[in-house]
Amino acid sequence: MPTSDYPVSYPIKKIVSETPSIKTFYLDSEISSSPGQFVMVWIPGFDEKPFALTKNGKEIAITAKKRGAFTEKLFSLKEGSLLGIRGPYGKGFEFKGAKKACIVAGGIGMAAVILLAEEMAKKKIKIDFVQACRCKEEVLFEKRIGKIAKLHVATDDGSCGVKGNACTVLEKLLKEKKFDCVYCCGPEPMMVSVLALCNKFKAPAQFAVERYMKCAHGICGNCSLDEHLCCKDGPVFAREQLGKSKEFGKTHYEKSGKKTVI
Amino acid sequence: MLETSFCGLKMQNPLILASGVLGVNKNNLLRAEHGGAGALTIKSISLEPREGHKNPITAVFECGMLNAVGYSNPGLKEAMKEFADLSEFSVPIIGSITAGNAEEFASLAKEFEKLSFSALELPLSCPHTPGFGLLAGQGTPEATKAITEAVRKETRKPLIVKISPSIPNIAEIAIAAEKAGADAINCGNTLGPGMIIDINSGKPVLHFKVGGVSGPAIRPIIVRCVFDLYQSVKIPIIGLGGVMNGRDAIEMLQAGASAVGVGTAIHYDGPEVFGKISKEMEAWIKAHKYKSVQELVGIAHK
């Protein structure tokens, strides 16, 4: 059966301020995505960007940090404003058979792993959850994680949890415990460090990688990472794949397709 | 069985990756080569870098796709670096350049002559980028002649002119290109443009509002265009538009195409679609006791 794949807009049902810089937008739409997949969010007539769903199924939501023209516009929207959605796209995290897992998130990378934690908890998987952010005020989804995982926080200024970065906490955990898999999403330099740690401890790991996303369905080629397309083959890649990558942590393609150093 | 030669390009099969699909960089192209393409066309390069239109740049509908990418590309300077070494490819790579006028086209062609592309394609037919293609008036016999002649002076590579199926008298354009020195016609670009509206917001989905239509919806129109062109020009034709499987590719050959472009099918089946189409073509050719793809070209005219 032929299917269409373009954004359909729905009213924003509810907007929740999570931290001084992060908001969650609930939409009156239904999408079922698996953790790690993404949707394209369209501000009608303005632009469209990729987001992870932070609520799934009959109530969907995206969580955004204000950091550029798109999120600035998004933050100006009110309940009742329309947002378009298409997707879900890509391959998500694999956690079949896992019993003990570690999730490592940096900054707004949290948005890509919160559903993963909740889905894994449903399967009774034990989770150590490492969240790294700038300061106490920027700790995200503390309550949701608290219910299902052991939360370890690292802040740049030490105002909450350990003073340091995600790897400070992760290294300690990897020394103490053996995980079936480490799941990671955050700024690419952070993921490069997590990858190195996982290599050192021979810990299986998966990473949700971001690239400049245009079509999101494998046509335009802008989101390439080596021979992979982030939108179709990713955005989640295994440690082994990224270990072989010539581009991960090094280069990406800008909106024009120009190869640029990260 | 599928081996063929197109404008002197030796191809393991007649399937060519269409310009604008993947092709942003060598990684993309390698992926399509590994997917089984017979030749690859890069995404068109302009003199200056271009970000293209904002998102959404594509919209998939029930029978195909709309796109208004807006010629995003890193520009000539970056392209000269990215494509400086093509030695890792084992299939022919076709360069593609786009510009607002004959003079710019010629200067791009002159630079591209330094690269080892197997051929050069001129899209004079994009329906969705102001200053380029149809929106720069390049879809007339006069403009086609002027641009093709200007580029012909700068390149010894086989020269392919990509024309628009939206033009009623498409043969006039192809004849103008042939007379001006083109070695082949690519028929063709996306059709239209078309529009899809999000009815809840009342806004067109594509940021540029309109976009070229591709995919199964346009295939019968392209087949008819190729059929007409086969009777109008002597130079070989690439049939490009809506080919999804082996049957469609054979239909394109029978209409008169010597090679078959593939683009939107990658949305449905990924870059591996080239291998899939090849297998289906081979099975059909064997079953019908033909020996080569060349025998099929233009059969519908007999």
Side-chain angles (χ1 to χ4, degrees):
Chain A
M1 185 64 190
T3 50
S4 60
D5 189 13
Y6 49 79
V8 177
S9 68
Y10 300 95
I12 297 171
K13 201 161 64 175
K14 186 171 67 174
I15 301 172
V16 176
S17 278
E18 306 278 3
T19 79
S21 70
I22 297 172
K23 283 183 183 181
T24 297
F25 299 80
Y26 288 78
L27 273 189
D28 226 349
S29 160
E30 191 177 332
I31 285 183
S32 181
S33 80
S34 56
Q37 284 190 303
F38 68 98
V39 295
M40 292 299 284
V41 176
W42 177 49
I43 300 175
F46 185 73
D47 204 348
E48 188 195 43
K49 297 279 177 192
F51 286 88
L53 288 183
T54 51
K55 282 281 180 184
N56 204 12
K58 289 200 170 144
E59 182 185 57
I60 67 164
I62 56 155
T63 301
K65 186 183 175 79
K66 199 173 178 179
R67 63 176 188 187
F70 185 86
T71 43
E72 204 150 294
K73 181 83 176 172
L74 183 66
F75 273 49
S76 77
L77 300 181
K78 306 273 180 270
E79 286 168 12
S81 301
L82 296 177
L83 271 187
I85 292 270
R86 61 185 175 103
Y89 297 109
K91 291 200 177 98
F93 294 104
E94 301 226 357
F95 53 92
K96 212 177 155 190
K99 291 192 174 64
K100 280 198 285 183
C102 182
I103 298 177
V104 185
I108 194 62
M110 279 293 296
V113 290
I114 182 66
L115 279 184
L116 171 71
E118 289 173 345
E119 286 301 314
M120 288 203 296
K122 281 185 202 160
K123 306 258 185 251
K124 309 269 187 270
I125 299 168
K126 282 197 167 169
I127 308 161
D128 279 272
F129 199 119
V130 182
Q131 177 174 182
C133 56
R134 277 190 302 128
C135 58
K136 190 170 187 266
E137 290 72 31
E138 291 297 328
V139 177
L140 184 61
F141 298 141
E142 203 174 354
K143 272 190 194 158
R144 281 172 73 177
I145 299 163
K147 286 186 215 163
I148 53 171
K150 186 166 172 24
L151 177 62
H152 311 262
V153 175
T155 48
D156 294 346
D157 62 1
S159 56
C160 184
V162 176
K163 185 176 190 320
N165 59 31
C167 286
T168 321
V169 183
L170 178 64
E171 180 150 27
K172 199 163 161 274
L173 285 172
L174 287 170
K175 275 179 188 162
E176 291 166 5
K177 299 183 185 181
K178 203 168 156 62
F179 297 106
D180 294 315
C181 193
V182 174
Y183 301 90
C184 180
C185 186
E188 202 145 308
M190 175 201 124
M191 293 202 285
V192 168
S193 309
V194 171
L195 176 70
L197 261 186
C198 292
N199 281 339
K200 183 178 156 191
F201 286 90
K202 297 193 171 57
Q206 295 173 32
F207 299 81
V209 179
E210 188 173 25
R211 283 294 180 270
Y212 195 97
M213 200 60 72
K214 287 192 169 185
C215 79
H217 55 98
I219 281 282
C220 76
N222 210 87
C223 68
S224 60
L225 177 74
D226 309 293
E227 264 193 58
H228 309 296
L229 295 170
C230 263
C231 68
K232 280 257 182 184
D233 310 310
V236 175
F237 294 98
R239 189 189 76 166
E240 295 73 20
Q241 287 174 297
L242 296 182
K244 278 183 263 176
S245 174
K246 287 181 183 144
E247 298 193 321
F248 178 67
K250 297 184 183 78
T251 53
H252 76 115
Y253 298 90
E254 288 175 10
K255 196 177 177 187
S256 69
K258 183 186 172 187
K259 193 181 206 167
T260 309
V261 174
I262 288 172
Chain B
M1 181 179 285
L2 296 186
E3 303 80 29
T4 192
S5 160
F6 181 83
C7 284
L9 276 60
K10 287 212 176 338
M11 291 162 59
Q12 60 198 8
N13 64 57
L15 306 175
I16 303 177
L17 171 71
S19 181
V21 177
L22 303 176
V24 174
N25 52 52
K26 287 203 289 183
N27 285 332
N28 278 183
L29 292 167
L30 274 171
R31 180 70 182 272
E33 176 180 315
H34 296 153
L40 310 163
T41 319
I42 69 163
K43 188 161 165 48
S44 306
I45 299 295
S46 56
L47 272 176
E48 298 301 326
R50 293 179 52 83
E51 291 197 336
H53 299 313
K54 282 186 176 180
N55 277 352
I57 55 162
T58 58
V60 176
F61 67 108
E62 296 79 350
C63 325
M65 192 174 90
L66 265 65
N67 92 78
V69 175
Y71 275 137
S72 60
N73 78 90
L76 178 65
K77 204 175 132 202
E78 289 297 320
M80 294 302 284
K81 282 195 261 173
E82 178 69 17
F83 300 114
D85 178 14
L86 298 175
S87 59
E88 65 237 71
F89 293 95
S90 50
V91 303
I93 315 287
I94 301 166
S96 179
I97 53 175
T98 186
N101 57 54
E103 198 185 355
E104 268 183 38
F105 264 111
S107 59
L108 280 159
K110 195 173 177 181
E111 288 302 304
F112 264 52
E113 200 62 6
K114 297 171 190 162
L115 301 172
S116 50
F117 289 115
S118 301
L120 187 63
E121 184 169 276
L122 310 177
L124 306 182
S125 40
C126 173
H128 56 71
T129 309
F132 295 86
L134 297 186
L135 302 189
Q138 292 169 2
T140 64
E142 296 74 26
T144 302
K145 177 175 180 281
I147 294 167
T148 308
E149 274 176 354
V151 171
R152 184 73 282 175
K153 283 184 193 138
E154 301 296 343
T155 186
R156 281 172 298 166
K157 296 183 195 296
L159 186 57
I160 306 163
V161 175
K162 186 172 179 179
I163 62 180
S164 170
S166 305
I167 295 167
N169 199 351
I170 191 171
E172 270 184 22
I173 311 289
I175 291 165
E178 183 178 40
K179 280 189 182 158
D183 297 297
I185 298 294
N186 183 338
C187 176
N189 215 307
T190 50
L191 192 72
M195 179 183 284
I196 292 174
I197 296 167
D198 167 47
I199 60 169
N200 292 353
S201 63
K203 294 234 188 287
V205 163
L206 292 174
H207 192 80
F208 190 62
K209 297 185 175 64
V210 301
V213 187
S214 63
I218 73 165
R219 198 192 68 244
I221 298 170
I222 303 299
V223 170
R224 184 270 301 162
C225 288
V226 170
F227 188 91
D228 285 353
L229 292 180
Y230 187 77
Q231 296 180 330
S232 311
V233 294
K234 291 196 174 60
I235 52 179
I237 301 158
I238 301 170
L240 164 60
V243 170
M244 296 288 126
N245 51 45
R247 191 219 80 91
D248 299 346
I250 285 165
E251 180 186 35
M252 213 53 102
L253 296 172
Q254 293 188 346
S258 300
V260 179
V262 174
T264 304
I266 291 171
H267 159 73
Y268 298 94
D269 293 314
E272 296 71 32
V273 72
F274 293 100
K276 186 197 89 134
I277 298 175
S278 289
K279 267 191 199 147
E280 291 167 356
M281 289 177 82
E282 214 165 67
W284 188 92
I285 290 169
K286 261 186 209 160
H288 292 79
K289 314 240 181 297
Y290 288 100
K291 288 185 186 64
S292 70
V293 289
Q294 290 88 338
E295 287 175 74
L296 301 175
V297 177
I299 275 185
H301 297 265
K302 283 171 189 160

